[in-house]
Amino acid sequence: MASSVFLLDLKGKPLIARDYRGDIPLSAIDRFMPLLQLREDEEGTSLPVMTENGVTYLHLRQKDVYLVALTRKNANAMTLLQFLHHLAKVFTDYFNALEEESIRDNFVIIYELLDEMMDYGVPQITEPKILHEYITQESHILEIMPRPPLAVTNAVSWRSEGISYRKNEVFLDVVESINMLVNPAGSVLSSDIQGAVKMKVYLSGMPELRLGLNDKVMFESTGRSAKGKAVEMEDIRFHQCVRLSKFESDRTISFIPPDGEFELMSYRLNSQLKPLVLCESVVESHRGRIEYMVKAKAQFKHRSTANNVEIEVPVPSDADSPRFKSTVGSVRYSPERAAFVWKIKQFQGGKEALLRAHFGLPSI
């Protein structure tokens, strides 16, 4: 539960201030910037949550703007930080960019949004699509204010009623990225998978969808054998449309989806993997030059093909006169990143590719 929300410039000067509970004086924000600088000096980095004299400061920085929430209560810090992220997302959706200039140009609409998105310090409506239905850029000059959509007073605040399509369609994509640390011998030291389930929904009415997963917890709770196909998901985060009680009881994802594109869930998998593309490099230094020989091997099935593979190899920042020769793909020197980038448009499984690179070094 937030007591107040502020938008500050980089110097800590308030641009917008909204007091919801009146239990913290507005002058308390004057301590935010000195406290932030003190924490940066002590910790070497800025902390998103800071406390002083019984006041908790939670903040998020977007370009040249600080979004700050203040509270005296034993509030859920993650809820308030998530609200600040949603606030930044809504402002970006309305103004295309969240910057000091866009804030100064839109005081009226920002105060309207703050009033609708939080009530007495409790987050309310945070879906940009719903807010757009009755808070517009010109709403403050209209003689007749538009009526709030039913979604505002409905339990399903993320979807409006009366949506209709001639053709009902649902698209689902699973997007995963692999983070891996490999030693020079090719052994994997650590690996995990960051995944997200993204959907595009074009359905009429108020449809209820159900999605099942090959979840290890579900198989164990029901006494069924996973047969090696189940996965153990961690750090699962759902869109607010998912019925959490249903998921906790039978691990089924049941939800009434928002209209259009959204992220249904994100997760992490702790899996022991081998690199999809294993790179080996040999670096030879000579007087006035340095040479690289890089070998890349696709360690996936022959019938599969990896598209748009990029391999980045760091080089000394003062290297010059690059020369490249590769068996496949193209190579580009990127001095601003102190590296060269090897791009392979299509890399077939089981294949190998070689690259030789030569750089000059300044003589000392």
Side-chain angles (χ1 to χ4, degrees):
M1 186 177 291
S3 298
S4 52
V5 172
F6 293 85
L7 274 67
L8 313 177
D9 63 16
L10 288 179
K11 296 181 180 180
K13 181 180 178 181
L15 303 172
I16 294 284
R18 182 66 175 89
D19 189 3
Y20 291 102
R21 298 179 56 83
D23 58 346
I24 298 179
L26 294 179
S27 59
I29 195 62
D30 296 337
R31 288 293 305 151
F32 168 74
M33 193 55 68
L35 189 61
L36 181 66
Q37 293 172 348
L38 178 63
R39 292 292 186 270
E40 288 181 347
D41 293 339
E42 293 178 350
E43 306 288 340
T45 183
S46 60
L47 302 176
V49 182
M50 304 177 294
T51 302
E52 184 183 68
N53 298 328
V55 178
T56 301
Y57 300 80
L58 304 98
H59 80 277
L60 167 70
R61 179 175 172 177
Q62 292 282 322
K63 295 186 179 180
D64 58 352
V65 175
Y66 285 100
L67 293 87
V68 187
L70 274 59
T71 180
R72 282 194 187 276
K73 302 290 183 180
N74 185 20
N76 187 323
M78 289 304 299
T79 298
L80 292 181
L81 288 173
Q82 187 72 7
F83 173 77
L84 293 179
H85 278 282
H86 279 291
L87 194 63
K89 179 181 176 182
V90 169
F91 288 163
T92 303
D93 191 74
Y94 267 83
F95 314 134
N96 293 326
L98 177 53
E99 300 175 353
E100 180 180 344
E101 182 179 355
S102 63
I103 292 173
R104 294 186 181 277
D105 292 341
N106 295 280
F107 278 153
V108 174
I109 195 73
I110 288 175
Y111 276 111
E112 287 187 36
L113 290 169
L114 289 173
D115 286 340
E116 295 297 335
M117 295 180 67
M118 179 169 279
D119 184 20
Y120 198 58
V122 179
Q124 300 292 319
I125 308 157
T126 58
E127 284 293 322
K129 290 182 180 179
I130 301 301
L131 291 166
H132 267 298
E133 291 189 20
Y134 69 106
I135 297 182
T136 66
Q137 291 276 10
E138 298 81 23
S139 62
H140 62 284
I141 62 172
L142 297 179
E143 295 182 2
I144 302 177
M145 296 295 290
R147 294 181 61 187
L150 293 177
V152 174
T153 55
N154 194 353
V156 186
S157 61
W158 53 88
R159 184 180 179 90
S160 299
E161 292 187 359
I163 297 175
S164 178
Y165 289 98
R166 293 183 62 184
K167 183 178 180 181
N168 291 309
E169 295 178 310
V170 175
F171 302 93
L172 186 146
D173 289 314
V174 178
V175 181
E176 293 184 334
S177 60
I178 300 175
N179 301 314
M180 186 174 295
L181 181 63
V182 183
N183 67 12
S187 300
V188 178
L189 302 180
S190 64
S191 64
D192 64 25
I193 298 175
Q194 301 285 344
V197 178
K198 299 185 178 183
M199 299 188 69
K200 289 183 180 180
V201 177
Y202 306 105
L203 298 175
S204 303
M206 283 284 183
E208 181 168 342
L209 307 183
R210 290 183 178 87
L211 180 65
L213 303 173
N214 56 337
D215 187 8
K216 184 177 180 180
V217 176
M218 179 188 69
F219 285 114
E220 291 177 348
S221 63
T222 56
R224 290 183 289 169
S225 175
K227 297 182 180 179
K229 295 182 179 180
V231 294
E232 188 172 359
M233 294 183 174
E234 301 180 12
D235 299 339
I236 301 176
R237 188 181 66 171
F238 289 113
H239 188 276
Q240 61 175 322
C241 66
V242 175
R243 291 190 173 93
L244 297 181
S245 58
K246 183 74 172 173
F247 179 77
E248 291 295 335
S249 62
D250 60 10
R251 309 298 283 188
T252 299
I253 302 175
S254 178
F255 59 101
I256 297 176
D259 186 49
E261 188 173 350
F262 71 102
E263 183 178 292
L264 177 65
M265 64 178 290
S266 61
Y267 58 88
R268 180 173 61 87
L269 300 177
N270 271 327
S271 303
Q272 290 298 321
L273 305 168
K274 65 178 182 180
L276 296 177
V277 178
L278 180 63
C279 295
E280 300 176 359
S281 63
V282 177
V283 183
E284 296 180 354
S285 296
H286 306 279
R287 183 177 180 83
R289 74 180 192 279
I290 186 170
E291 298 180 2
Y292 294 82
M293 188 177 77
V294 182
K295 181 174 74 172
K297 182 178 180 180
Q299 299 193 121
F300 44 87
K301 296 179 180 178
H302 287 77
R303 64 175 179 267
S304 300
T305 302
N307 296 322
N308 301 318
V309 176
E310 287 194 10
I311 301 171
E312 183 174 320
V313 181
V315 299
S317 58
D318 55 354
D320 56 20
S321 305
R323 291 186 292 117
F324 305 108
K325 184 178 181 180
S326 62
T327 58
V328 65
S330 61
V331 190
R332 175 178 58 86
Y333 177 44
S334 180
E336 68 277 4
R337 292 152 66 178
F340 62 86
V341 181
W342 185 11
K343 293 185 178 181
I344 304 175
K345 190 173 183 180
Q346 289 188 326
F347 203 2
Q348 188 175 353
K351 297 291 186 178
E352 291 186 356
L354 296 175
L355 164 69
R356 287 184 177 274
H358 302 261
F359 287 89
L361 294 176
S363 300
I364 298 176

